[in-house]
Amino acid sequence: MHFLTLAIYSNTTTHSHTAHVPGSSVHCIALYCMTVRYRRMRFLDYAAEGGTLPPHVDLRRTDPDTGLPSTHTFLLYLTTCVSGGQTSLLAGPGGDELAVVSPIRGRLLLFPHACWHEGRSTISVPKRLLRGELV
């Protein structure tokens, strides 16, 4: 079973909700988390058309303060792209698309490091996002 995980963070309570995406094996999980540590955040700026990122999985990082490994990647889209620049979650290297997420300002995408994904070619630019790992 594959999951597309979307998250919204709150500093009050922790809740979760799962919903099936009709016609697919993808499920969505909305998470409301009490505390999350963002380490090694970085801004990505695709200023020119044609910027892509080939299929890959993300590496775990170790928090230097706690020694805990990261488990998930987050992408916070800072701009909206009318066309292109989507993030595709894949069934594996060269695998089928499980979900396609369009870059919309304010959208937060959270997925496990082991989830194969790629950045589709940018058409509407700039595409800007904040990327980081969750511990």
Side-chain angles (χ1 to χ4, degrees):
M1 182 178 299
H2 301 284
F3 290 91
L4 167 65
T5 306
L6 304 173
I8 303 170
Y9 297 98
S10 165
N11 61 0
T12 54
T13 58
T14 302
H15 304 284
S16 66
H17 173 72
T18 303
H20 178 68
V21 177
S24 75
S25 62
V26 177
H27 289 62
C28 293
I29 302 173
L31 302 174
Y32 301 87
C33 302
M34 187 165 54
T35 55
V36 176
R37 287 186 71 171
Y38 297 150
R39 300 292 294 184
R40 295 181 178 84
M41 290 185 291
R42 53 215 158 274
F43 290 97
L44 301 178
D45 184 19
Y46 295 83
E49 290 183 12
T52 64
L53 197 55
H56 66 284
V57 294
D58 293 336
L59 299 176
R60 292 184 342 171
R61 310 245 186 227
T62 302
D63 185 307
D65 298 329
T66 65
L68 295 172
S70 63
T71 59
H72 288 72
T73 297
F74 75 85
L75 302 176
L76 176 61
Y77 298 98
L78 303 175
T79 57
T80 296
C81 296
V82 177
S83 59
Q86 300 93 336
T87 301
S88 296
L89 302 181
L90 308 170
D96 294 334
E97 285 184 334
L98 301 174
V100 177
V101 180
S102 295
I104 296 175
R105 183 179 180 189
R107 177 172 282 169
L108 181 64
L109 174 62
L110 174 68
F111 54 90
H113 288 327
C115 179
W116 281 87
H117 58 286
E118 68 180 342
R120 289 187 176 177
S121 181
T122 55
I123 297 171
S124 300
V125 290
K127 174 186 172 184
R128 294 190 178 111
L129 55 103
L130 181 65
R131 183 210 181 281
E133 293 81 25
L134 300 181
V135 174

